Amino acid sequence: MSYLADIFLIALSAALINNFVLYYFVGICPFVGVSKRVEMAVGMGCAVTFVMTIAAFLCWIITTFILMPGAPLSKWIAGFFVPANVAAGIDLTILSYIVYIFAIASSVQFVEMYVRKFFPALYRSFGVFLPLITTNCAILFACLTIMSKIVGVDNPADAWDLGRSLTLAIFGGVGFTIAIVIMGGIREDLELCDIPKPFQGVAITLIVGGILAMAFMGFTGVDVGLRNAIMPL
Amino acid sequence: MADQPTATERFIQGILPENPVYRQMLGLCPVLAITNNMKAAITMAASVTFVLFCANVVTSLIRNLLKPHLRIVVFTLTIATFVTIADRLLAAYLYQMSKTLGPYIPLIIVNCIIICRCEVCASKQSIFIAGSDALGQSLGFALALSSIAAVREILGTGMFFELRVLPAAWPDWVIMALPPGAFLTFGVMLAAVNWISSKKEKN
Amino acid sequence: MMMESKDRESTGSSSILERIKKNSLVQGWLVLILALFFGSALASVQLSLGPKIEMNKLNETLDKVPELVLGASQLDEMEAKNQKLDIEPMTVNVDKNNKKVSYNVYKTTYNGKIIGWVVKTKGQGYAGNIELLVGLDSGIESITGLFILDQKETPGLGNKIVTEKWRKQFINKPTKNQLIVVKDGADALNEIDAITGATISSRSVSNILNIAITDLKGQLISG
């Protein structure tokens, strides 16, 4: 029961309270660049969510079994070359960033192939934006958050399992989609307004984004209240 | 190749005319996330300088060996390695700052500025030109970060580099230290830069 | 292109060479060499900087321990006489309602006599986790110090829990009763003044302390 409550709180926090775009500032480039129309925004949001989930899955598996200090697979392979007690201390976290970015690139390739095969019209409308998802900060940020919850905890029992990691990825993507869809809707209306010349383009988008971020600040502390209500100490 | 910009020209171009943040709109994530205070902004700018310079130099060294369809892989590998090195150096020598900057240092890997410069400049030019291009762009990036961080820190806490600049009676505009303040400040500064450059063009 | 294919047909052996050249593994030789080169560079960075980073992580807490147990003035006295406390990190496991909770505790002794304890604990704040170090005297009867390690509270409001002025309130508070945060004028021995406009952050800190002290009171004295 408390596992489900934990999952619920992680999901809520990732989607609304600590929204990836409006609180952590990751995924700003598509937020500012792509969100001119709501359909494009929804498509981009779904693609990012999809890629983020696959990338988080790969990252969790690789971190837990290969990269983290004392990981099972590395320990077993190292056991062939060095004595067992040295192999137990193997720590490959220095390679994390390189491995993650290649895992993300592979996820993007995989999603690209899938979309090209099953949704050709969508693929054409995406154009160059699909491969560009590789450089989307939000996906790498999700992987880094998962890594910090596995490698950075003092108590190994607190390390995140696959369920929590996937929840963070899926609902982080949902939060990203919410943010850029709202932004897309606002920008559609902004095109009918008379904006002063210096503000046209990215500047007014940022200012609107700031007001949106202020609105989302209203969610602060909701997870604390919910946590106290659901899981009384 | 006579009309290619020289090394000094590239250096100067990178600071204002082709400023990576205000003109090219690249690398916006750290601009919003790290500009809470000047110290963090300068540390981030220094890290980006290190990674951009090393990546440009290495890419320029191997530019004749790059196969077209594998070049992005090579760039990514190079950049990720130097970012890891920068991250470990910060954790070893500036531990508190490394904790403050947190996940934003590894996010330099996906910072569009670095991949863009590798692709556009370093993979085609000599080491000297690539190096000065890197330094110019990094200086421009540092300028952009500092301009926003200065505004946010002074208005948000009354301090600059953690030294009090405004009188204690100043009611801190706390919103400046929070996420919305980042968006608003950057938006207004960008509008100011657009206005100034359009005035210059008119003259 | 036509010439090329004719050449390829006529010379069978060179076509194998062509196929080898086109193989992606061979084309990727640069990537492989770079990977090896960068891999060894990273390994050397890990070997040289790894220990220093571990030391930084440990010292972050260890540096604070003497002051939390002794207080600033007594610490100055000891340092003037070139005396140092012995600090022994330990993990204390507590069984709570069938859940195992473990605490990082630092036992400080001098010449074999227990001077005090420092407990590292964390809990939910207003906007995220608050991680703190609390100093307790040798009999766990009063609080000797408080230091906030990590927090994400609102700057300008909840953020003020890190200020010395607010943390000083906790020194010499008895552990006999739970700490209560009040909004207007702390009177009783177990009352703490809340930060104006940041009641939740203030209460989070007192909650974290109450839980830790309740959990560890029995464990540390007997153990």
Side-chain angles (χ1 to χ4, degrees), chain B residues 58 62 65-67 69-70 73-74 77-78 81-82 84-85 88-89 91-96 99 174 177-178, chain C residues 24 27-31 34-35 38-39 41-42 45-46 49 52-53 56-57 60 131 149-150 154-157:
Chain B
V58 170
I62 58 176
L65 302 168
L66 289 171
K67 302 279 186 308
H69 51 280
L70 285 179
V73 174
V74 171
L77 189 59
T78 316
T81 306
F82 284 115
T84 311
I85 296 179
R88 296 289 92 194
L89 281 173
Y93 295 112
L94 285 174
Y95 187 66
Q96 278 305 113
K99 270 182 58 171
V174 176
L178 295 170
Chain C
S24 20
Q27 290 220 311
W29 66 269
L30 180 66
V31 180
L34 275 181
F38 287 142
L42 287 180
V45 164
Q46 170 79 332
L49 292 179
K52 191 158 201 317
I53 298 176
N56 282 344
K57 270 196 228 166
E60 198 194 11
E131 203 177 25
L149 279 175
D150 206 11
T154 319
L157 291 170

Side-chain angles (χ1 to χ4, degrees), chain C residues 29-93:
Chain C
W29 66 269
L30 180 66
V31 180
L32 291 173
I33 294 198
L34 275 181
L36 277 172
F37 182 64
F38 287 142
S40 34
L42 287 180
S44 54
V45 164
Q46 170 79 332
L47 282 175
S48 56
L49 292 179
K52 191 158 201 317
I53 298 176
E54 284 304 314
M55 282 309 296
N56 282 344
K57 270 196 228 166
L58 278 176
N59 283 342
E60 198 194 11
T61 7
L62 283 180
D63 278 346
K64 307 273 180 312
V65 167
E67 185 173 340
L68 283 175
V69 172
L70 294 174
S73 49
Q74 235 189 321
L75 180 64
D76 288 338
E77 277 175 33
M78 273 194 93
E79 284 186 347
K81 298 189 223 156
N82 251 341
Q83 293 166 339
K84 269 180 66 157
L85 288 177
D86 294 310
I87 306 176
E88 182 195 321
M90 39 193 264
T91 321
V92 176
N93 292 317

Side-chain angles (χ1 to χ4, degrees), chain A residues 22 24-25 94 97 137 198 206 210, chain B residues 29 84 87 104 179 183 186 191 194:
Chain A
L22 298 171
Y24 283 123
F25 305 110
I94 190 97
Y97 304 150
C137 304
L206 287 167
Chain B
C29 296
T84 311
D87 180 54
Y104 293 103
F183 282 104
F186 187 30
N194 286 343

Side-chain angles (χ1 to χ4, degrees), chain C residues 69 108 114-117 135-144 174-176 213 216-222:
Chain C
V69 172
T108 59
I114 298 183
I115 305 285
W117 311 83
L136 302 163
D137 68 348
S138 47
I140 319 257
E141 281 169 8
S142 70
I143 298 179
T144 53
T175 61
K176 204 162 45 135
I213 294 176
L216 291 173
K217 221 174 189 175
Q219 304 271 1
L220 287 178
I221 307 184
S222 58

Side-chain angles (χ1 to χ4, degrees), chain C residues 10 19 27 59 78 100 112 117 123 158 167-168 187 222:
Chain C
S10 54
R19 279 224 299 274
Q27 290 220 311
N59 283 342
M78 273 194 93
K100 260 200 169 350
W117 311 83
R167 287 184 290 122
K168 244 179 9 187
D187 280 327
S222 58

Side-chain angles (χ1 to χ4, degrees), chain B residues 74-149:
Chain B
V74 171
F75 295 156
T76 312
L77 189 59
T78 316
I79 297 173
T81 306
F82 284 115
V83 169
T84 311
I85 296 179
D87 180 54
R88 296 289 92 194
L89 281 173
L90 272 180
Y93 295 112
L94 285 174
Y95 187 66
Q96 278 305 113
M97 188 49 74
S98 148
K99 270 182 58 171
T100 315
L101 291 177
Y104 293 103
I105 295 283
L107 283 180
I108 298 180
I109 302 178
V110 287
N111 191 323
C112 304
I113 299 179
I114 308 186
I115 295 212
C116 186
R117 291 336 283 176
C118 279
E119 164 80 8
V120 162
C121 174
S123 59
K124 304 185 174 111
Q125 307 287 346
S126 72
I127 303 178
F128 188 56
I129 296 187
S132 51
D133 181 74
L135 288 176
Q137 292 280 321
S138 314
L139 207 52
F141 183 68
L143 219 67
L145 279 189
S146 319
S147 57
I148 300 190

Side-chain angles (χ1 to χ4, degrees), chain C residues 105-154:
Chain C
V105 179
Y106 299 88
K107 180 163 135 186
T108 59
T109 55
Y110 186 66
N111 286 340
K113 190 168 90 113
I114 298 183
I115 305 285
W117 311 83
V118 172
V119 179
K120 179 158 103 156
T121 175
K122 68 174 191 258
Q124 186 70 24
Y126 173 64
N129 269 345
I130 299 180
E131 203 177 25
L132 52 84
L133 292 173
V134 56
L136 302 163
D137 68 348
S138 47
I140 319 257
E141 281 169 8
S142 70
I143 298 179
T144 53
L146 176 66
F147 185 77
I148 312 284
L149 279 175
D150 206 11
Q151 49 81 24
K152 296 182 177 64
E153 308 299 281
T154 319

